[in-house]
Amino acid sequence: MPKRGKGDRYHHGDLRTALVDTAIELIDERGVRQFSMAEASRRLGVAVSAPYAHFASRDDLLAAVAVRGYEVFHAESQAEMARAKAPVDRLAAMTRAYIRFAGTHRPLFEVLFDSGLDKQRYPELKAAEQPISDAFADCVEALTDSEASADDLAEAVEATAHGHALFLLDGKYGQGADAIELAAERAAGGTRALVDGRHRLGG
Amino acid sequence: MPKRGKGDRYHHGDLRTALVDTAIELIDERGVRQFSMAEASRRLGVAVSAPYAHFASRDDLLAAVAVRGYEVFHAESQAEMARAKAPVDRLAAMTRAYIRFAGTHRPLFEVLFDSGLDKQRYPELKAAEQPISDAFADCVEALTDSEASADDLAEAVEATAHGHALFLLDGKYGQGADAIELAAERAAGGTRALVDGRHRLGG
DNA sequence: GTCTATATCCCGATAGAC
DNA sequence: GTCTATCGGGATATAGAC
């Protein structure tokens, strides 16, 4: 185990990984907006300049965190979807996974959706997002006739999931595991309702 | 008209109002997170200490902006709703107003939903929000049987509206007035679909 | 790869003069 | 109510030694 703790230094050669881990820790405690390279350095007991040997900027570090976020969400949503067969159930499962991801990996969710990171500047981010978009598109297309109505449904479901996720993080469902499950059920219910009423979406 | 411009000072005695206006300007340009008292002072040509004669802290100033936000949204949503009679249409109108508010008063929307302001600490904020909550609750209750199902529908509609608003501000519908109207129609359609499928919400 | 040290900039907030 | 001046803190990022 690498040394940690007050006064210790961090000389084991995996500062890069440690920085990503510590960033997630700090974001969990204070939010992305307050995250700083300097504080990460202090927590790890290294000089404020040390991180710059591994990441050219704060945004570069956040991008690395974001990639991990996409990977985690993809894995978890795939697992959740595997248990459902009908397209509407798979879509509801993905919604549920979205909420659970937001609730259980709040710092990752924040980096993905509230960090102000310019995702266009980081090709690895777009690459990490792609398989998720594909899986989502598959679900939606199985439920709609035309491409236009697929887009409508996709956006409606995304918006509902995202809205519920934000409300969850804002404390509107309370705190803890119960809040997460409540939000997940509400969002899944919203998805089912949208699928049910999807012919009203366009007009 | 008060003097403005490079090198001018701001000695006309309505610095308080000017600060609120300038805050909105700056938030429009850089986002709430980047807003600072210091920059507002610079823009107005006053000393960095001058604002503190009117607002005890940055948060106090943001709270004043937030109150204006609630007032504007309430006025606009009432106007939008006045043109509809059927409850479902009134609810869709409110959703549309929400999106248009986000799109046309982005800085106010940001202060309300992305400033990190602790609304509990400012009673005037809760007071300004109340009439909006009431109007919304009226719409929803006209569409549901039980109190429980009213809550479900209310949260689903709120989440959808909020999600679409954030996507709009994130550029997912493009830029400009067309993007706003597209998002508003999508959100209104989502609301109608949710009303239509509302019996699927609970289970 | 990590260090020390530093340059440069930002911020919120306060004290005391006018 | 506004000023000047300042305290005390924060940040990103770089230079050069080890």
Side-chain angles (χ1 to χ4, degrees):
Chain A
M1 282 287 290
K3 292 181 195 135
R4 295 287 288 277
K6 209 158 198 167
D8 284 353
R9 296 299 164 80
Y10 199 90
H11 273 170
H12 60 68
D14 202 9
L15 182 56
R16 180 174 227 279
T17 304
L19 279 166
V20 173
D21 292 342
T22 300
I24 294 171
E25 259 182 44
L26 288 172
I27 292 165
D28 202 20
E29 294 168 18
R30 295 183 185 277
V32 220
R33 309 171 190 183
Q34 304 300 328
F35 170 75
S36 73
M37 298 289 257
E39 194 170 359
S41 306
R42 278 195 297 274
R43 170 121 354 156
L44 286 168
V46 300
V48 292
S49 60
Y52 292 92
H54 301 274
F55 298 99
S57 70
R58 175 180 183 274
D59 275 5
D60 277 19
L61 171 51
L62 288 181
V65 176
V67 167
R68 182 181 292 189
Y70 279 128
E71 289 166 354
V72 169
F73 176 67
H74 185 52
E76 295 189 352
S77 63
Q78 288 295 111
E80 189 98 24
M81 283 172 65
R83 287 185 271 146
K85 283 212 84 168
V88 59
D89 293 332
R90 289 171 65 82
L91 197 58
M94 197 147 179
T95 305
R96 222 179 277 117
Y98 194 89
I99 307 299
R100 290 192 178 137
F101 174 74
T104 59
H105 302 286
R106 182 188 185 122
L108 297 179
F109 186 86
E110 274 191 45
V111 170
L112 290 182
F113 300 110
D114 198 33
S115 66
L117 198 62
D118 181 1
K119 296 179 186 173
Q120 304 300 325
R121 283 191 47 199
Y122 295 91
E124 67 267 35
L125 280 188
K126 297 174 78 170
E129 191 185 14
Q130 195 59 50
I132 300 167
S133 306
D134 291 346
F136 184 65
D138 281 350
C139 280
V140 171
E141 278 160 23
L143 287 165
T144 49
D145 316 318
S146 68
E147 202 176 306
S149 60
D151 278 0
D152 284 357
L153 182 58
E155 275 167 16
V157 170
E158 273 187 83
T160 296
H162 196 61
H164 278 96
L166 289 174
F167 287 169
L168 169 65
L169 296 192
D170 212 48
K172 292 204 181 186
Y173 297 106
Q175 301 294 329
D178 286 354
I180 297 175
E181 287 313 299
L182 177 59
E185 283 319 306
R186 290 273 163 89
T191 296
R192 283 191 295 268
L194 284 170
V195 170
D196 220 49
R198 64 185 178 280
H199 299 296
R200 290 280 171 93
L201 283 173
Chain B
M1 283 286 290
K3 290 182 196 133
R4 294 287 286 279
K6 210 157 198 166
D8 284 355
R9 295 299 165 81
Y10 199 92
H11 272 167
H12 60 67
D14 201 7
L15 182 56
R16 179 174 228 280
T17 304
L19 279 166
V20 173
D21 292 341
T22 301
I24 294 170
E25 259 182 43
L26 288 172
I27 292 164
D28 202 18
E29 295 168 19
R30 298 183 183 275
V32 219
R33 310 171 189 182
Q34 304 300 328
F35 170 75
S36 74
M37 298 290 259
E39 194 170 359
S41 304
R42 278 195 298 274
R43 169 116 2 152
L44 286 168
V46 299
V48 292
S49 59
Y52 292 92
H54 301 275
F55 298 99
S57 70
R58 176 182 183 273
D59 276 5
D60 277 20
L61 171 51
L62 288 180
V65 176
V67 167
R68 181 181 293 189
Y70 280 128
E71 289 167 353
V72 169
F73 176 67
H74 185 53
E76 295 188 351
S77 63
Q78 286 296 111
E80 189 99 23
M81 284 173 64
R83 287 184 271 146
K85 284 213 85 169
V88 59
D89 293 332
R90 289 172 65 81
L91 197 58
M94 198 147 178
T95 304
R96 222 180 277 117
Y98 194 88
I99 307 298
R100 289 191 178 136
F101 174 74
T104 60
H105 303 286
R106 183 188 183 120
L108 297 179
F109 185 86
E110 274 190 46
V111 171
L112 290 181
F113 300 110
D114 197 33
S115 66
L117 199 61
D118 182 2
K119 296 178 183 172
Q120 303 301 325
R121 283 192 47 199
Y122 295 91
E124 67 267 36
L125 281 188
K126 297 174 78 170
E129 190 184 13
Q130 196 59 49
I132 299 168
S133 307
D134 291 346
F136 184 65
D138 282 352
C139 280
V140 170
E141 278 160 24
L143 288 164
T144 49
D145 316 320
S146 68
E147 203 175 307
S149 59
D151 278 359
D152 285 356
L153 181 58
E155 273 168 10
V157 170
E158 272 187 84
T160 296
H162 197 60
H164 277 97
L166 289 175
F167 286 170
L168 169 64
L169 296 191
D170 212 49
K172 292 205 182 186
Y173 297 107
Q175 300 294 329
D178 286 354
I180 297 173
E181 287 313 301
L182 176 59
E185 283 319 307
R186 289 273 164 86
T191 296
R192 283 191 297 267
L194 284 170
V195 170
D196 220 49
R198 64 185 178 278
H199 299 297
R200 291 279 171 92
L201 283 173

